[in-house]
Amino acid sequence: MRTPHRFALMGALVGSLALSTLPASAANGGGGAGDPYYPDDGNSGYNVTHYDVRVGYDPARTHYLDGDTTVTATATEALDRFSLDLKGFKVASVDINGAPAKTFSRSSEHKLDITPAQQLAKGKKFTVRVRYAGKPTGDAWNTMEDGGAYVSGEPHSSRDWYPSNDHPSDKATFQLTATVPEGWTAIGSGLPGKTTPGKGSDGKATKTFRWHEDKPLATYLSAFAVDKFTVHTSKMKDGTPVIHAYSPGTAAASQEWEGQLPEILDFFASKFGPYPFSSAGGIVVNGGDGGGPGALETQTRPTYTGTMFDMSMTHENAHQWFGDSVTVADWRNGCLNECFAQYASQLWEEHNGSDIDKGFYRDTVEENKNNPEYWGVKLYDPGKGKEIDPALYDKGSLMVHALRRTVGDKAFFATLKQWTHDHRDGNATFPQFEKLAQKVSGKNLTGFFNAWAHSTKIPEKKYLYPGSLAKLAK
């Protein structure tokens, strides 16, 4: 993320949720995924392999969403009970392997606790189908003046529109089927499928759009946007489809930058390794109600608010390697996303002729060397609420450049390529990156990382101005 930067698909809802009689921790699989900052997020009792999300959205019905989501997962322990993350909505039914759940209930604002009719054995693959409806209420759900909507949020997003194991450690493939009124378009992550016409319960014409992302996706990176989009399609040199969608009024300011995306991705591929996904592009939405960030690295197709331009494009598309393909194991590791994505924008500036040693690095250090607040956030494990702190962008990108000058270009870029190769489609931690950088470079980097990533003070001079940067020190 960059920070400056009804249809009645399922019939009438029936019944209401019973009050929870047991705390989630009283049952197998009831605990969270183990994140130290957000211990209630996710669920440790299963691993999701696929999300099949089917929604209907009609802007004329006061932003009402009908949902019908099937989660395919494998139990990692014997499950008498487990939970999904879902905020708001009325849940009409929950089925497990095609049969009604014994019970389902709420235990917190975003926990849907489910008891299967029979225990799910460890190692058993199972499906959970949840039918739900209502007006989305979460911070990641944003509506626009014309009635359109989009999802953009970090560290939480998916719970605001579909039930999920909402933690980045549990990545899964993703399929979206979205039905909207005729004249509107639904955009998602990955590749488009067949678009089909239909009719809503009121007899009015509809269209159903299909999208599928076949690479594992962290839940907060799933894209969904509905508007009267203008859609542009093209291809990379290697044939990779590129799809850009523009809300009304955004195309003119953004389109001039659209043609740069293939060059940006090709440049990053030369530095980071092959582009990790089967499609690319962007979603440019027209403002919204202020709940979302300026841009978010939704997988394959970043979501931009208002406009996109070269620096936001470089940052969000660098995330396709750092954050999307290689995803944090937990939220202590946000530097793996933001430190490297922010530095990628500096690499792009260098590619276009800038002297980033002086104009970026030296000037930034000198401007802030007497400002303890600038250095006062640790880059690894910065603390709850600081998992995407501005320090990860600013101090973090300085650290990455200092590392480059410490180990040299050959070892630095070899480390990045090895990193994206070894952890592609998976999860990783910052300590793992530290070990890899030391291994590839053959240097003892303990002092360097302690000074930059694990400290709340300005690094001492030998780490602040390493290698060729030493001649710039004042």
Side-chain angles (χ1 to χ4, degrees):
M1 182 175 72
R2 185 172 179 86
T3 54
H5 19 33
R6 162 156 83 145
F7 303 130
L9 295 180
M10 55 193 176
L13 294 173
V14 293
S16 61
L17 296 179
L19 293 176
S20 179
T21 58
L22 292 172
S25 59
N28 291 338
D35 194 291
Y37 294 173
Y38 298 98
D40 197 35
D41 283 5
N43 190 283
S44 61
Y46 57 89
N47 288 327
V48 178
T49 55
H50 184 68
Y51 290 102
D52 183 354
V53 179
R54 299 168 186 255
V55 296
Y57 179 72
D58 186 350
R61 291 194 62 197
T62 62
H63 314 300
Y64 200 92
L65 183 82
D66 279 315
D68 185 348
T69 292
T70 298
V71 181
T72 302
T74 300
T76 57
E77 58 184 273
L79 294 177
D80 295 312
R81 188 179 180 188
F82 61 94
S83 65
L84 292 167
D85 296 291
L86 181 66
K87 187 173 183 178
F89 299 106
K90 289 186 177 180
V91 176
S93 63
V94 177
D95 292 342
I96 301 174
N97 296 328
K102 182 178 180 180
T103 64
F104 56 93
S105 59
R106 299 279 192 181
S107 61
S108 72
E109 71 168 359
H110 68 86
K111 283 297 181 185
L112 175 62
D113 296 320
I114 300 166
T115 303
Q118 296 181 336
Q119 184 186 77
L120 299 173
K122 181 179 180 179
K124 179 178 177 61
K125 184 176 180 180
F126 64 97
T127 61
V128 186
R129 182 181 182 184
V130 182
R131 283 174 266 197
Y132 56 101
K135 183 177 180 179
T137 59
D139 292 339
W141 182 269
N142 301 277
T143 56
M144 294 177 276
E145 289 185 3
D146 65 357
Y150 66 97
V151 179
S152 184
E154 186 182 2
H156 307 120
S157 174
S158 59
R159 65 184 60 174
D160 292 352
W161 65 292
Y162 67 92
S164 62
N165 197 22
D166 194 14
H167 190 267
S169 63
D170 194 5
K171 300 170 68 170
T173 56
F174 183 84
Q175 182 173 327
L176 171 66
T177 304
T179 299
V180 295
E182 177 72 34
W184 296 77
T185 301
I187 304 291
S189 298
L191 291 165
K194 188 176 182 181
T195 300
T196 54
K199 288 187 177 181
S201 59
D202 57 3
K204 294 182 179 179
T206 65
K207 273 193 175 180
T208 298
F209 294 84
R210 295 170 177 85
W211 296 86
H212 61 95
E213 170 55 337
D214 297 329
K215 292 287 188 179
L217 171 149
T219 49
Y220 80 97
L221 297 171
S222 51
F224 177 56
V226 176
D227 208 348
K228 296 180 179 180
F229 286 115
T230 298
V231 179
H232 296 167
T233 60
S234 59
K235 291 184 178 181
M236 301 278 288
K237 290 180 181 178
D238 64 1
T240 299
V242 180
I243 302 168
H244 284 92
Y246 299 102
S247 284
T250 66
S254 302
Q255 189 174 342
E256 64 173 303
W257 303 105
E258 178 184 314
Q260 285 200 20
L261 183 59
E263 182 184 354
I264 289 170
L265 294 180
D266 284 344
F267 172 69
F268 285 162
S270 73
K271 301 298 183 183
F272 309 149
Y275 180 67
F277 300 117
S278 59
S279 67
I283 306 170
V284 185
V285 293
N286 195 4
D289 51 15
L296 184 71
E297 60 272 19
T298 40
Q299 191 156 309
T300 70
R301 197 157 294 109
T303 301
Y304 306 90
T305 303
T307 187
M308 68 179 185
F309 52 94
D310 54 349
M311 297 309 287
S312 65
M313 291 169 64
T314 53
H315 182 100
E316 303 306 332
N317 281 285
H319 272 308
Q320 303 306 309
W321 286 263
F322 298 95
D324 293 26
S325 177
V326 183
T327 304
V328 297
D330 61 51
W331 287 110
R332 293 175 297 180
N333 299 281
C335 184
L336 292 176
N337 296 1
E338 305 306 340
C339 298
F340 291 91
Q342 189 72 358
Y343 185 65
S345 293
Q346 303 305 325
L347 289 176
W348 180 249
E349 290 289 289
E350 183 180 53
H351 174 65
N352 288 306
S354 294
D355 182 347
I356 62 173
D357 278 356
K358 296 179 181 178
F360 158 63
Y361 190 88
R362 182 193 64 185
D363 291 354
T364 305
V365 169
E366 291 301 315
E367 180 181 350
N368 293 284
K369 67 180 182 180
N370 296 318
N371 178 9
E373 292 185 4
Y374 186 88
W375 310 96
V377 175
K378 293 190 297 181
L379 298 179
Y380 171 66
D381 196 7
K384 182 178 179 180
K386 296 182 178 180
E387 57 273 1
I388 49 174
D389 190 90
L392 275 62
Y393 300 74
D394 302 329
K395 174 185 170 183
S397 57
L398 290 177
M399 179 198 67
V400 178
H401 190 63
L403 175 64
R404 178 183 172 189
R405 292 298 182 241
T406 297
V407 303
D409 276 15
K410 182 177 180 180
F412 176 76
F413 289 110
T415 299
L416 298 189
K417 288 182 178 180
Q418 190 69 45
W419 178 254
T420 60
H421 174 271
D422 290 353
H423 299 284
R424 184 169 180 163
D425 299 332
N427 299 87
T429 69
F430 193 82
Q432 287 177 305
F433 180 83
E434 294 182 44
K435 291 180 181 179
L436 179 65
Q438 184 158 299
K439 178 181 178 181
V440 173
S441 69
K443 293 179 178 289
N444 185 342
L445 299 174
T446 301
F448 175 90
F449 284 117
N450 283 343
W452 275 101
H454 305 284
S455 174
T456 58
K457 297 180 180 180
I458 186 171
E460 59 183 291
K461 191 173 181 179
K462 66 178 180 179
Y463 300 123
L464 190 62
Y465 282 103
S468 60
L469 292 172
K471 64 179 180 293
L472 299 178
K474 292 183 180 180

